[in-house]
Amino acid sequence: MEPTAATPQPETTEAQQNGSAAAVETFDVHRPTDGTVVRSVAIDPPERVREVVARVRRAQPAWDAMGVEERARWLARWRDWMLANRDSISDVVQAETGKVRGDAGLESIYVEMAINFWGENASLYLADETPTPGLLPAKVRKLRVRYRPYPVVGIISPWNFPLILSAGDAIPALMAGCAVVIKPSEFTPLELIELVRGWKEEVGGPDILDVVNGMGDTGGALVDEVDYLHFTGSDRTGRIVMKRAADTLTPVSLELGGKDPAVVLRDADLERAANACTYGGFVNTGQVCMSIERIYVEEPVYDEFLTKLEANVRELRQGTDGPEYAAEQGAMTSPAQIDIVADHVEDARGKGARILTGGRRKEGAGDWYEPTIVADADHSMKVMVDETFGPVVGVMKVRDDAEAIRMANDTRYGLSASVFSKDTEHAERVAEQLEVGAANINDALVNYFHLEVPMGGWKDSGIGWRHGPGGIRKYCRTESIVSPRLPLAKNEPLWYPYTPRRRKLLNRLYRFFNARGLRNRIGLGD
Ligand code: NAD
């Protein structure tokens, strides 16, 4: 499946194959490891996006009517196809992202896991709810809340995890009964194109899943056409998407950037903390929204922690590998990002930070930056306040946990965090004061793999969440059904005509019940 650089062929969507013979514009997908072209891909202009959305919209009612169990069976077939093709999927992932094999493999693992998780939990999370009416007079009615899918969900995804953040986020929507159209990043569309081809051609799945390709125009057109839009990417583009969605009153969830802190308390297991921060800071070459980008270490253990972290980072092997798992650090996927990384490191160097490792681009072809520790950093430096999104961690000494909390919260982002201490309760108390959507105690990034709990950002890190019961309910509209338990009279006291006798009776009745409300709950008694 590995595409060859010698014979780049434009990748076309089904819509384009069936469309007019007009000249098709394309963009090139590059190998970040050496800059060569993997393949060129045809751009889907807005009218093609419209056609694709209309087509999956037609197929969606049958998909919804099929029910959760049958949909889970279809997705399990897709999972089995992925399992059988893991290696070739990883080859494509590596070609277009420059990831090392160990990181590329995470993509399939997560998507397979997500199919199992949502397949097992969708019927629980989407089951009708039957709340009990609070007021005695209202108990004559029975209440039911239903979750009904948005017909078509659009997903716009970034380049750092091209399957996890596209197919991975599509799975709960598909399980809810929605049709899904995904626009992957223009840097990394190939593996998703392959996965959607697998769904259509190998699995023979219903026509409720498709991919459209291109840049902002294609993404914008998708926002216009769908009933719900899930976006993952930078907060800059997230704002543009949300403004555009306002025109059609389309609801959105936005998973945006991060500047995740780690707090290392004086009683931490320093070896585990250093290992976790090495993984959390450098996995996927630091191109993770939840990367540990800044580390606050209590003064008494600062030097010892730094020594351990430095030893770890010096061991990281940078290079191009394959199934032999010969490296931990790959190339950087987006050429623009490497300029941001270099700028942050130079800014810190100029302001007096110590660059313990790396601190420069790697010579030769491709987009490579050496894994870098910026020690003695502070908040005057970009590396501690702006998203770096590369293989760089800033480390800062703090007096105590109060200062660590203050510095960790001194950011416009609020995605996730880590806290390290042998006293788990103390670590949890620190975590409770952090302004983040998720905190990992003595660990890094691990909350993402617990699909039971919501993963979403505070502040500029986003709106909404993925995972947890809300991670599938967000793809649904609620319908409340209120129906009688008992035979009904011909008229109701609330209805017309308004007469003094009926209104006084009604007022007395509600005065009686409302005056008693909350009494038991707040201990006023009768
Ligand atoms: P980006 O915002 O540049 O692009 C994201 C997607 O939006 C791409 O598919 C792009 O083509 C599309 N797009 C661009 N302009 C658009 C427009 N006007 N209308 C509609 N779509 C448009 O982000 P990126 O550089 O691909 O990804 C890196 C960013 O993503 C980082 O900030 C990172 O933190 C963030 N991210 C967040 C999460 C999370 O879960 N919170 C996960 C991964 C990455």
Side-chain angles (χ1 to χ4, degrees), residues 97 99 157-162 185 187-188 287 333-334 337 389:
T97 61
K99 288 175 196 256
S157 59
W159 44 260
N160 61 326
F161 284 103
S185 166
F187 292 103
T188 55
Q287 303 162 113
T333 307
S334 149
Q337 200 66 40
F389 216 63

Side-chain angles (χ1 to χ4, degrees), residues 107 123 145 265 302 338 353 439 466 470 475-476 492 509:
E107 300 262 10
S123 47
V145 182
L265 299 172
Y302 182 76
I338 205 166
R466 54 167 67 88
Y475 292 126
C476 298
E492 290 280 329
L509 189 72

Side-chain angles (χ1 to χ4, degrees), residues 487-506:
L488 294 173
K490 300 288 180 210
N491 203 346
E492 290 280 329
L494 195 68
W495 295 356
Y496 300 139
Y498 289 167
T499 64
R501 193 175 146 271
R502 280 160 65 100
R503 294 326 277 181
K504 277 181 189 156
L505 191 71
L506 194 78

Side-chain angles (χ1 to χ4, degrees), residues 157-159 165 183 186 232-234 237 255-257 289 387 466:
S157 59
W159 44 260
L165 301 170
K183 194 210 84 65
E186 58 274 32
T232 306
S234 62
T237 314
E255 298 288 350
L256 309 176
C289 55
E387 187 178 42
R466 54 167 67 88

Side-chain angles (χ1 to χ4, degrees), residues 269-281 305 308-309 312 444:
D269 175 338
L270 293 184
E271 193 154 345
R272 179 162 176 95
N275 289 343
C277 289
T278 308
Y279 182 75
F305 172 81
K308 289 184 188 300
L309 184 71
N312 282 351

